[in-house]
Amino acid sequence: MRTTTLGSNGPEVGVIGLGCMGMTHAYDPDGRDDATSVDVVRQAIDLGVTLIDTADVYGPYTNEELVGRALAGGHRDRVVLATKVGLESAADKPGDHTALVRNGRPEHIRRSIDASLRRLGTDHVDLYQLHRVDPEVPVEESWGALAEAVEAGKARQIGLSEPTVEEIRRAQAVHPVASVQSELSLWTREALDGVLPYCEEQGIAFLPFSPLGRGFLTGSITSFDELSEDDFRRRLPRFQQDALKANLELVGKVRAIAGRYGVSPAQVALGWVLAQGQYVIPIPGTKTPKYLVDNAGAADVALPSAALAELDALPAAEGTRY
């Protein structure tokens, strides 16, 4: 796979990464199979998908355990392993994947890195990320605790998820920010207005999560009723039936461009994301070998400027993210 680096000072990675959340958390619980997911992680590595992203809250905890099993037997040394801390499942709503609370307290971060390393079966992660900034804790305090993990050799670099530019600046004053992970796709473009340009200016890697619009931009979801009862997308405004119907027009245009250039809709959507910057490394999630191969193939898709302009001109999605 074509490669880049994790920002201006980071390790080499494939330009497409792998988000592992859906293997144990949030999406389509009836379609999960741990053995298949382990195979998908290992197949991803063979394809050059070397940035593997997880988090302690996914499951919770079971996602890191699964990734740890997948990386056993010599696979760990072939990847850039990323995990996250700073979100917890709400104790009173354990089955609601959208019911999360922020916890950026330094003592929580110090405890959590050791627990994550045990679950992942490794002595360090390559990237340790603050999953969300906790409004009750100054970002400098949370970030300082992550920096301690670097000093202790438990993390190589540290990153932020969904921060503002001001929060990135404040963190930088304490310790270098290696990466920023935020949602970016053809139907979620807020990061283009400030955060992504700032990251490019500073040489910070930008890791778009949900670059396929939580699967919607692939054209595989055409009705609210296709989502299983426990799929958390049923709670998201964009997947409610009226909004979903309107948003299918976006998918129709993506499919038309895909047909014109002989690629898949997923490759069009990922190709547009890749075109947004040198250090933009999307991390689409999948637990299916077929979709993994399709996503990885986007690394070889260079959309012409005319197609990118068409995609830039697509209307905003109907409905908010959450």
Side-chain angles (χ1 to χ4, degrees):
M1 178 180 289
R2 182 166 57 89
T3 62
T4 184
T5 55
L6 193 72
S8 57
N9 297 308
E12 184 178 49
V13 292
V15 295
I16 301 287
L18 177 64
C20 297
M21 180 183 78
M23 294 176 179
T24 65
H25 184 86
Y27 300 139
D28 185 25
D30 295 334
R32 296 176 195 153
D33 178 79
D34 284 359
T36 300
S37 293
V38 166
D39 288 342
V40 165
V41 173
R42 294 176 177 174
Q43 183 183 2
I45 300 168
D46 290 338
L47 291 170
V49 178
T50 52
L51 176 61
I52 307 298
D53 182 81
T54 180
D56 58 3
V57 77
Y58 299 157
Y61 312 130
T62 55
N63 203 260
E64 287 183 327
E65 292 168 351
L66 185 147
V67 170
R69 293 196 299 275
L71 297 182
H75 300 285
R76 168 67 183 93
D77 294 337
R78 301 172 62 194
V79 305
V80 172
L81 178 58
T83 193
K84 298 183 282 294
V85 64
L87 282 181
E88 296 180 300
S89 295
D92 59 336
K93 297 180 180 178
D96 184 352
H97 302 297
T98 62
L100 303 174
V101 294
R102 302 186 186 203
N103 187 349
R105 296 192 302 274
E107 60 270 23
H108 172 69
I109 292 168
R110 294 186 189 108
R111 288 194 304 268
S112 295
I113 182 61
D114 292 327
S116 287
L117 294 178
R118 285 195 300 271
R119 288 188 290 268
L120 290 164
T122 186
D123 62 357
H124 74 280
V125 291
D126 300 291
L127 181 64
Y128 198 41
Q129 303 160 96
L130 184 62
H131 211 152
R132 294 292 187 274
V133 174
D134 185 342
E136 302 300 321
V137 180
V139 67
E140 291 86 353
E141 293 183 15
S142 301
W143 196 244
L146 269 78
E148 289 176 19
V150 176
E151 294 163 6
K154 298 175 182 179
R156 295 288 184 260
Q157 293 182 298
I158 52 179
L160 290 160
S161 183
E162 299 248 297
T164 64
V165 171
E166 179 58 25
E167 288 166 342
I168 301 171
R169 289 195 180 105
R170 289 170 59 188
Q172 283 177 302
V174 176
H175 186 92
V177 176
S179 67
V180 166
Q181 183 175 142
S182 293
E183 188 167 354
L184 175 65
S185 70
L186 285 168
W187 75 349
T188 301
R189 306 186 185 206
E190 290 84 352
L192 300 180
D193 294 334
V195 171
L196 179 52
Y198 183 79
C199 289
E200 287 190 327
E201 173 191 308
Q202 299 292 312
I204 296 170
F206 188 85
L207 314 180
F209 71 83
S210 298
L212 297 174
R214 304 189 185 278
F216 185 75
L217 296 169
T218 66
S220 61
I221 301 169
T222 60
S223 169
F224 176 85
D225 294 330
E226 294 172 4
L227 301 172
S228 66
E229 289 294 331
D230 292 331
D231 193 313
F232 99 117
R233 287 173 291 190
R234 278 181 164 260
R235 301 183 180 92
L236 301 180
R238 291 181 183 175
F239 287 88
Q240 303 311 302
Q241 191 58 45
D242 289 345
L244 188 151
K245 186 175 181 180
N247 289 326
L248 283 173
E249 294 186 23
L250 287 172
V251 175
K253 293 177 181 178
V254 171
R255 291 175 68 92
I257 292 172
R260 194 184 313 155
Y261 294 103
V263 297
S264 72
Q267 290 171 347
V268 169
L270 290 170
W272 178 86
V273 172
L274 284 168
Q276 303 310 307
Q278 178 182 2
Y279 302 127
V280 174
I281 307 160
I283 50 171
T286 185
K287 51 187 180 290
T288 305
K290 178 179 69 172
Y291 295 146
L292 170 70
V293 172
D294 192 37
N295 294 344
D300 298 321
V301 174
L303 294 172
S305 57
L308 291 172
E310 282 187 70
L311 295 168
D312 288 339
L314 289 178
E318 183 74 25
T320 58
R321 287 201 296 153
Y322 297 111

